[in-house]
Amino acid sequence: VTRCFQALIAAVLLTSSVTAFGQGNVLPPQATPKGYSLDDMAAAVANFSITGNDPAYYPDTPFQIIYNRPGRTFSVKPGTFLYLKFFFINDAKPTIGDFPTDKSEVADYVFGPDQLGGHDHEVEIDGQITSLDSPGYVGGPVATPNSPDGSENLLQIGAFVSPLKKGTHTIVIRGVFDGQAFVDAVGGPFAAEITYTVIVE
């Protein structure tokens, strides 16, 4: 009886969460689905990001992490929340620009024209576009004490997405970095557009 009651409560909570945000919607940056914040996920995926998405570092979380892998297709069960892993940067040497030491410096670093100059960051889900040009969608800086590249801190742009309906969905992420410090470090601006397929079955 107790287990049935717990299962019922869990189902009600899940349904309420999905109804509050709508199905397949990018959640606001302050949302904490399953008790996780974007800072929590930045820490969870830190070494996974740093190693170029090495499966050995894929973290144990209650989300399907959407990341760049061969085929870019993911199959999930109904009710699965997604975490979209966008772009990351850390303070591994040589550090690009003035890497932030706390949250108050993140906006100027990621979006400032003299630093990374990030802009036009957005996610498109089945044609519906949401801008991520907000420091709220930047997790970190979080500590990386066991980093494979010797970094000590990391920033991860990311977003949570409420569960999608059954069927096949298209998710596109885009972003540009053309700030002065970024261009000086890598030799030019960077722009990316990546398309993923998510199948809910």
Side-chain angles (χ1 to χ4, degrees):
V1 176
T2 302
R3 289 181 179 176
C4 290
F5 183 70
Q6 290 174 338
L8 177 61
I9 291 296
V12 169
L13 289 174
L14 175 60
T15 301
S16 298
S17 179
V18 173
T19 301
F21 296 115
Q23 289 188 318
N25 288 343
V26 175
L27 275 56
Q30 69 273 17
T32 55
K34 306 288 186 178
Y36 280 71
S37 68
L38 290 176
D39 282 350
D40 294 331
M41 285 304 294
V45 302
N47 286 346
F48 184 53
S49 291
I50 290 168
T51 58
N53 301 330
D54 183 339
Y57 290 91
Y58 187 91
D60 182 14
T61 73
F63 308 99
Q64 173 60 64
I65 299 172
I66 304 300
Y67 62 96
N68 197 4
R69 72 178 188 185
R72 297 174 180 167
T73 297
F74 300 82
S75 295
V76 302
K77 296 179 179 179
T80 301
F81 280 84
L82 310 179
Y83 173 73
L84 304 184
K85 192 170 76 67
F86 278 63
F87 310 104
F88 85 95
I89 188 166
N90 62 15
D91 58 3
K93 305 302 181 185
T95 306
I96 298 177
D98 303 318
F99 196 89
T101 57
D102 59 47
K103 279 284 187 186
S104 67
E105 301 171 347
V106 166
D108 286 342
Y109 181 69
V110 174
F111 303 106
D114 60 332
Q115 296 292 317
L116 302 186
H119 60 91
D120 294 334
H121 295 164
E122 61 184 26
V123 54
E124 180 177 344
I125 302 176
D126 296 335
Q128 183 68 37
I129 296 175
T130 302
S131 173
L132 300 188
D133 280 340
S134 163
Y137 286 108
V138 183
V142 295
T144 55
N146 301 310
S147 170
D149 66 355
S151 63
E152 296 181 356
N153 298 278
L154 171 142
L155 299 174
Q156 176 78 58
I157 300 175
F160 294 116
V161 175
S162 58
L164 296 158
K165 295 178 180 179
K166 282 189 175 183
T168 300
H169 304 270
T170 300
I171 297 179
V172 184
I173 64 171
R174 306 181 181 94
V176 177
F177 291 98
D178 57 11
Q180 192 61 55
F182 184 89
V183 170
D184 289 347
V186 305
F190 169 83
E193 177 174 301
I194 304 174
T195 301
Y196 300 101
T197 300
V198 179
I199 302 169
V200 183
E201 54 186 1

